[in-house]
Amino acid sequence: MRISVCTTYNDLSEQAADLVAALIAAKPTAVLGLPTGSTPEGMYAALTKRPISFAQVRTFNLDEYLGLGPDHPQSYHQFMKRHLFDHIDLPPASAHIPAGLAPDPDQECARYETLLQQAGGLDLVILGLGENGHVGFNEPGTPWDSRTRRVMLAEKTRQANARFFDSGESVPREALTMGIGTILSARKILLLVAGSNKAAAVRRLLTEPPTVDLPASALHNHANVIVLLDEAAAAGPQ
Ligand code: GLP
């Protein structure tokens, strides 16, 4: 794991955008795994300002809430449109996100995994970090060989994400997410962590033996991981 502490969130966002831009320059047909949440918003904003063509890129989002359609304002479909897809030349057919309204969620997850394999697998997957150490929507206890599937959200995750919804009750209870095994199959992994609310999880990730109780610690099993932290996330719990 290569760890880099960035002075500011802006610096973290620009460094993350540099890595993505360098990959696309080297491989214009790159297959990217993309996160949602507040953390990658700065990276997406930085990417939209760069002279990069996404014309041949293919993207696969990590996850989507079960029960939210692509037009729901809090769906990750809408998040991606707002922050990235509406501002770049990625062909809409090249952007993949699990379908939260799929009539058969299990079949949708199998379809998603197959599509990803047919695309040649992920060249780079970018991750955020949940306060409980989750990556994608892989909550504590997730086996490290898990693939894309339907999951229940931890109460802590629903509370953390309630800020985006009208009320805590309207936060979905389930999601579709790439598994930890899916994430570990990527050729390169970039973990972005910002803010003091993540400092405890970062401390555990960097100092404790890997355990399924901290999903992000599975990344220790991968040979090509970059972690970008801002100073607040790197500072340790207050
Ligand atoms: C959600 C997403 C995760 C994300 C996490 C942290 O649960 N499914 O992929 O990493 O939120 O979000 P934030 O960056 O807003 O703290």
Side-chain angles (χ1 to χ4, degrees):
M1 231 178 221
R2 275 186 289 151
I3 298 146
S4 173
V5 180
C6 308
T7 325
T8 62
Y9 172 70
N10 188 53
D11 190 26
L12 176 150
S13 301
E14 293 292 338
Q15 281 197 40
D18 287 347
L19 285 161
V20 176
L23 171 64
I24 296 173
K27 185 175 181 185
T29 58
V31 180
L32 305 178
L34 298 179
T36 51
S38 308
T39 312
E41 286 180 11
M43 174 191 70
Y44 290 139
L47 281 172
T48 62
K49 296 194 189 97
R50 303 211 180 176
I52 305 170
S53 175
F54 289 79
Q56 299 181 73
V57 169
R58 282 150 303 160
T59 66
F60 286 83
N61 266 76
L62 284 163
D63 47 17
E64 178 57 285
Y65 290 110
L66 185 65
L68 298 195
D71 295 329
H72 190 288
Q74 301 315 331
S75 69
Y76 287 163
H77 282 73
Q78 286 298 314
F79 175 99
M80 290 308 298
K81 276 171 70 66
R82 276 197 305 276
H83 292 283
L84 187 66
F85 296 158
D86 280 353
H87 313 284
I88 60 174
D89 63 347
L90 180 78
S94 302
H96 305 283
I97 305 181
L101 284 184
D104 183 339
D106 295 333
Q107 196 179 68
E108 168 62 6
C109 292
R111 182 193 72 89
Y112 201 69
E113 232 2 273
T114 304
L115 260 184
L116 183 49
Q117 270 155 33
Q118 284 168 350
L122 296 166
D123 290 300
L124 170 70
V125 63
I126 306 162
L127 305 172
L129 181 69
E131 288 177 32
N132 62 0
H134 75 232
V135 285
F137 271 133
N138 294 288
E139 301 286 18
T142 300
W144 289 351
D145 61 357
S146 49
R147 309 302 298 200
T148 305
R149 70 210 186 287
R150 175 182 188 164
V151 292
M152 293 290 295
L153 301 185
E155 215 29 59
K156 199 168 165 67
T157 301
R158 293 186 66 238
Q159 284 163 15
N161 290 353
R163 68 192 193 278
F164 299 115
F165 289 81
D166 297 338
S167 71
E169 261 315 289
S170 45
V171 184
R173 294 180 187 279
E174 292 179 81
L176 306 181
T177 183
M178 280 186 200
I180 295 198
T182 319
I183 291 168
L184 292 178
S185 302
R187 288 180 271 284
K188 188 172 189 150
I189 300 177
L190 173 60
L191 175 66
L192 307 178
V193 197
S196 57
N197 58 325
K198 306 289 174 65
V202 168
R203 166 75 63 91
R204 289 181 65 200
L205 174 65
L206 301 184
T207 62
E208 293 178 11
T211 161
V212 293
D213 294 338
L214 189 79
S217 68
L219 304 185
H220 286 292
N221 290 341
H222 193 283
N224 196 354
V225 180
I226 298 178
V227 182
L228 296 183
L229 306 171
D230 73 354
E231 285 188 343
Q238 300 304 304

